[in-house]
Amino acid sequence: MSTTMTRTPEEETRHHVENTGRVGAGVFNPRQLVSSFPDALRKLSPRHQARNPVMFVVWVGSVLATVFAIGDPNVFAVGTALWLWFTVLFANLAEAVAEGRGKAQAESLRKTKKDTVARRLVGKDVEERVPGVELRIGDLVVVEAGEVVPGDGDVVEGIATVDESAITGESAPVIRESGGDRSAVTGGTTVLSDRIVVKIATKPGESFVDRMIALVEGAQRQKTPNEIALTILLSTLTIIFLLAVVALQPMAGFAGSLQSVIVLTALLVCLIPTTIGALLSAIGIAGMDRLVQRNVLATSGRAVEAAGDVSTLLLDKTGTITFGNRRATDLIPVGGTTMADLARAARLSSLADGTPEGRSIVELCTEQHGLPASPTEHEMSGQFVEFSAQTRMSGVDLDGTSVRKGAASAVKAWTGQDASAEVDEIVDRISSGGGTPLVVAEGKAIRGVIRLSDVVKPGMRERFDELRAMGIRTVMITGDNPLTAKAIAEDAGVDDYLAEAKPEDKMALIRKEQEGGRLVAMTGDGTNDAPALAQADVGVAMNTGTMAAKEAGNMVDLDSDPTKLIEIVEIGKQLLITRGALTTFSIANDLAKYFAILPAMFAGIHPQLGKLNIMSLHSPSSAILSAVIFNALVIVALIPLALRGVRYRPASARSLLRRNLLVYGLGGIVTPFVGIWLIDLLVRLIPGM
């Protein structure tokens, strides 16, 4: 039996690294700067720079400064030209480092891909061997023990255990079978037992592994709506400052202090939002990278961004909020039976019950009553009766005595007598509380009742409290009756629940939420979940689910852990917060550059401007060069933050805004004053300055 465990983000990252060997994705390594430097140089081409309007202006300014520095070489002109080029280079470096981490992960994924020879069916029992790259959608292929699945698809015949460790990092094999919600197989995984027939569902080069490789390399990363909007804002600010700087020269000429092209270029570069312009692409790539660390494949950056704006979260009860199977939580003796006798009878009746519920009864009797977990030699001599859907009972015939456990009606029929009022009352009470009662009988006498409960996973209430603090409403979806659903919802701490849910009910709920302007996220794995996954703004399909579900959603969780939806929301919010924080910092630090450059430009003709030189910078040329140097170095200093992301804590929008303004707004004002002043102390030592 496979049990999904809830891990903290730190445990998840450590688990992922230990199992997949994909190292360094989450932690910035300074050596990445060195290894990414050649890529940064290649990105200096004008064609690449034209994709980023802000940095293209800096690139053009660098070219102009270089031309004038060559025509009139001096320490200030050459130094300014060099540092303008460094500004462009460092912006490229931020993007190259983010892409380099993706390429390292892509290389590890490529190792999982193997050139396979597929056994394609051309008739009922006729096979032909063809290269895996020649398979087309709808082809049927046979895969047996020891063979690699040649492509993504659904099992249409047979059942087998499959090793998916190459894709998911999980060493435990999984069951894949036809006709259920766990029929999907991924190309590159290995069949460990039995024989299955797989219907190919993707074209060559479009498998989940191929798409994941392209995604982490950034080859298919499209700008998200918020990123496009921010790019337009930054471009608008750049145009405004460009017009302001161009208009400055006629005024300077009228005042008798014409400025050189190099000085005007330095002013423009320092005033436009170069910091966020340089880091914007890296922030987006890093957001995708954090998803890949969690073994989540997103079909677009839009889905990641939408996750950060989600206000309603729809969660399946079973396997997400509760463990996948009901567990024995209590033994209730009746009719004078002692607890020890009931525990002994309950254990005996469950030894032949191979269901998860039956095993949980044996575990309860072992842990709480000290009984052995395995049958003794004497017990093995009895006649075991396995649980079946027809009898709805299990038990053992031992030493002339029969012991049975099962549904109340089935045990009543077996004993041939009506249960007492005490038993009926206990059964009704357990049922009304959302549990499942199992009656235990020995020798035609009822000994007691076992309570089976949907056990809420540890820590779920705390996680829902965190989501509530984010302003996210949680809704539990279940096929249980309203009474059971209410009990589980109250225990788990969700905001609302939908009982006896059908596919059309899920769709109606999603549409109702979206009509109010809210973004909705949900998880699913079955074909019946596909419409709702497609309708949701963030639809996370389980990798163990059907191809229909995976194609309908905009994310696929390769670990098939439904609770990961909560982490996906946190990653989306971290992406948005990081972008907002660095935008605030970038715009705020322009203030210090005003105080550095403008007094330096006009203090000669307007001495009163010298009062604005609050940093006591050495000279006009050192002030301008120091501002340009700081403008370049701050990009490098912020690369680790852009890649790692601003730490996210669940809080309201107001508190997040307050924190943003205090830390990155105020910090963006103070840091340049200190940085430019320190750089000026060094620049003034250069001869000629």
Side-chain angles (χ1 to χ4, degrees), residues 174-213:
V174 295
I175 302 294
R176 294 290 177 265
E177 59 184 327
S178 62
D181 287 343
R182 294 180 176 268
S183 61
V185 289
T186 306
T189 58
T190 304
V191 173
L192 299 180
S193 69
D194 304 296
R195 174 187 183 273
I196 54 175
V197 177
V198 178
K199 185 176 183 179
I200 299 299
T202 58
K203 298 178 182 178
E206 295 182 4
S207 69
F208 281 107
V209 175
D210 290 316
R211 289 160 60 187
M212 199 168 187
I213 289 172

Side-chain angles (χ1 to χ4, degrees), residues 136-158:
R136 295 294 180 264
I137 295 176
D139 284 348
L140 298 177
V141 296
V142 176
V143 190
E144 294 186 344
E147 295 178 347
V148 176
V149 178
D152 293 356
D154 285 313
V155 178
V156 295
E157 181 183 322

Side-chain angles (χ1 to χ4, degrees), residues 19-304:
N19 284 281
T20 66
R22 299 175 200 168
V23 181
V27 182
F28 176 74
N29 186 343
R31 285 180 295 181
Q32 293 170 344
L33 293 174
V34 178
S35 61
S36 301
F37 198 77
D39 286 334
L41 290 174
R42 284 191 285 269
K43 292 177 181 291
L44 287 174
S45 67
R47 180 178 299 179
H48 179 83
Q49 294 301 316
R51 301 175 189 172
N52 187 332
V54 177
M55 297 314 302
F56 182 67
V57 170
V58 180
W59 184 89
V60 172
S62 303
V63 173
L64 285 175
T66 302
V67 171
F68 283 92
I70 293 174
D72 182 20
N74 57 72
V75 174
F76 171 73
V78 173
T80 302
L82 286 175
W83 279 102
L84 288 177
W85 279 114
F86 283 142
T87 304
V88 181
L89 185 63
F90 292 159
N92 293 343
L93 189 61
E95 185 177 354
V97 169
E99 290 178 352
R101 299 197 309 171
K103 289 176 180 177
Q105 290 185 324
E107 188 59 33
S108 69
L109 286 169
R110 280 197 181 92
K111 293 177 182 178
T112 68
K113 294 189 64 180
K114 301 177 182 178
D115 295 329
T116 57
V117 176
R119 298 162 55 187
R120 182 166 60 188
L121 288 174
V122 292
K124 185 176 181 181
D125 296 313
V126 181
E127 299 178 9
E128 65 173 356
R129 292 185 175 271
V130 297
V133 294
E134 294 184 8
L135 294 175
R136 295 294 180 264
I137 295 176
D139 284 348
L140 298 177
V141 296
V142 176
V143 190
E144 294 186 344
E147 295 178 347
V148 176
V149 178
D152 293 356
D154 285 313
V155 178
V156 295
E157 181 183 322
I159 180 172
T161 54
V162 180
D163 178 9
E164 295 186 339
S165 59
I167 306 298
T168 66
E170 291 288 350
S171 57
V174 295
I175 302 294
R176 294 290 177 265
E177 59 184 327
S178 62
D181 287 343
R182 294 180 176 268
S183 61
V185 289
T186 306
T189 58
T190 304
V191 173
L192 299 180
S193 69
D194 304 296
R195 174 187 183 273
I196 54 175
V197 177
V198 178
K199 185 176 183 179
I200 299 299
T202 58
K203 298 178 182 178
E206 295 182 4
S207 69
F208 281 107
V209 175
D210 290 316
R211 289 160 60 187
M212 199 168 187
I213 289 172
L215 184 72
V216 298
E217 284 186 323
Q220 292 183 356
R221 195 191 80 84
Q222 298 177 342
K223 288 186 176 181
T224 61
N226 281 349
E227 194 173 349
I228 292 172
L230 183 56
T231 301
I232 294 173
L233 172 63
L234 298 180
S235 300
T236 303
L237 290 175
T238 300
I239 293 172
I240 291 173
F241 283 120
L242 177 62
L243 295 175
V245 171
V246 170
L248 200 62
Q249 186 71 327
M251 291 187 290
F254 179 79
S257 180
L258 281 173
Q259 301 296 319
S260 68
V261 173
I262 291 181
V263 171
L264 292 174
T265 301
L267 174 64
L268 175 62
V269 170
C270 289
L271 295 187
I272 63 177
T274 52
T275 305
I276 184 60
L279 297 173
L280 191 57
S281 180
I283 293 170
I285 295 173
M288 287 288 195
D289 180 59
R290 283 190 287 275
L291 265 188
V292 174
Q293 292 173 51
R294 299 293 192 272
N295 263 2
V296 176
L297 169 63
T299 57
S300 70
R302 183 189 298 265
V304 187

